Amino acid sequence: MAVIAIVAQGAMGAGIGRRLTGQGATVLTSLAGRSAASARRAAEAGMQDAAPEALAAADIVLSVLPPAEARACAAWMAPALRAAARKAVYVDCNAISPATAAEVAGLIAPTGADFVDGGIIGGPPREDGYTPVLYVAGEAAERLAPLRAHGLDVRVTPGPVGAASALKMSYAGITKGLTALGAAMLLAASRGGAAEGLGAELARSQPELLGFFRRMVPPMYDKAYRWVGEMEEIADFTGPEAAAIYQAIARFYEEMAADQAGPRQRTAALSAFLDAAPKEQG
């Protein structure tokens, strides 16, 4: 039976934990300093609270956190990984740039543990069988076979450490970037009195795009705060070609997060637009 450590217990981490425990794996986590909500998610997923030393003794350690916490997690785990008699494989699954992944790999290297670069595309695993794809890269990627055996979709991306992060950055830059651009223009149209006309035109000439906005914009409201750091990582990834664009998108998501936590005027306007727009005509 595989022993998997997951840091931490957000929606994705707990979802992965639930899938793994449901398929017979033992899943450890650390609840030190975590909220009551995190503890509840962990318990519901069958995850067991453990000290860093126990986490480091697992077969695989998965870091599943907001991007800004990726380095801190590796630094926190490093002493326990260094002291462990049997070396785990440490997988950074966070939405970070290849340059940040290299920094995290550098923190893990002195411990003797193997490092795998990862990127998750999709939402948390669900009880209906849906699972996201965990793309991984690096020489130790094949050590993740136990994850496949316990219900995860793990796919090796050809290339060195950083290749999986580059794939994640590119995909998220398209999907979440387009979500931000669309939401910004839906809001602008609503303020300008053109909501009805724009909705009708999108349904007529861009039904696939309108369908994309219907799928992506409403779920964004509760995720916007997590996407800020991801857009900043994408800005670092793109470099001068598009850094300013993704820094601006990060600020957009920052403002959306503030609206969701407060007046919810923007989210109400976006939902009203999408509810009123004609159904896609195909």
Side-chain angles (χ1 to χ4, degrees):
M1 178 187 296
V3 179
I4 313 298
I6 301 179
V7 185
Q9 320 82 26
M12 182 63 75
I16 291 174
R18 182 180 296 106
R19 174 61 55 80
L20 292 171
T21 59
Q23 295 290 322
T26 296
V27 179
L28 308 179
T29 192
S30 172
L31 295 176
R34 306 298 295 184
S35 67
S38 293
R40 183 180 65 254
R41 284 191 295 268
E44 291 172 350
M47 303 164 78
Q48 304 172 26
D49 187 21
E53 293 74 19
L55 301 181
D59 299 304
I60 298 168
V61 178
L62 302 178
S63 174
V64 187
L65 293 159
E69 298 178 32
R71 297 179 187 85
C73 179
W76 175 70
M77 282 294 302
L81 290 168
R82 186 180 297 110
R86 186 172 64 90
K87 299 302 182 181
V89 56
Y90 185 97
V91 189
D92 190 294
C93 305
N94 305 305
I96 55 176
S97 70
T100 302
E103 291 181 33
V104 175
L107 293 170
I108 298 300
T111 72
D114 283 333
F115 178 83
V116 170
D117 170 40
I120 300 171
I121 292 181
R126 299 193 301 259
E127 293 184 3
D128 64 6
Y130 167 82
T131 185
V133 178
L134 171 58
Y135 287 98
V136 295
E139 293 182 1
E142 290 302 337
R143 287 189 61 186
L144 304 184
L147 297 179
R148 294 192 189 96
H150 290 89
L152 295 187
D153 186 352
V154 181
R155 305 186 189 186
V156 177
T157 298
V161 165
S165 289
L167 189 159
K168 169 66 176 179
M169 294 284 94
S170 301
Y171 184 88
I174 293 169
T175 57
K176 295 170 184 175
L178 184 57
T179 298
L181 293 175
M185 297 317 301
L186 300 187
L187 288 170
S190 298
R191 290 193 300 269
E196 182 177 354
L198 179 61
E201 181 56 32
L202 286 172
R204 184 192 72 82
S205 64
Q206 300 291 339
E208 296 88 355
L209 198 54
L210 180 56
F212 176 87
F213 294 148
R214 281 199 163 106
R215 293 192 307 274
M216 294 292 291
V217 170
M220 170 267 290
Y221 307 156
D222 289 327
K223 301 174 183 177
Y225 78 98
R226 291 195 286 111
W227 290 1
V228 174
E230 189 168 345
M231 296 303 106
E232 291 172 340
E233 289 289 326
I234 293 172
D236 178 59
F237 169 60
T238 63
E241 290 85 0
I245 294 172
Y246 284 97
Q247 287 291 354
I249 290 174
R251 303 289 75 78
F252 174 82
Y253 281 133
E254 201 168 54
E255 292 169 2
M256 287 299 305
D259 179 77
Q260 177 70 350
R264 300 196 176 189
Q265 294 175 341
R266 294 185 179 193
T267 58
L270 287 168
S271 293
F273 182 104
L274 295 169
D275 288 343
K279 296 300 180 184
E280 301 89 316
Q281 296 174 2

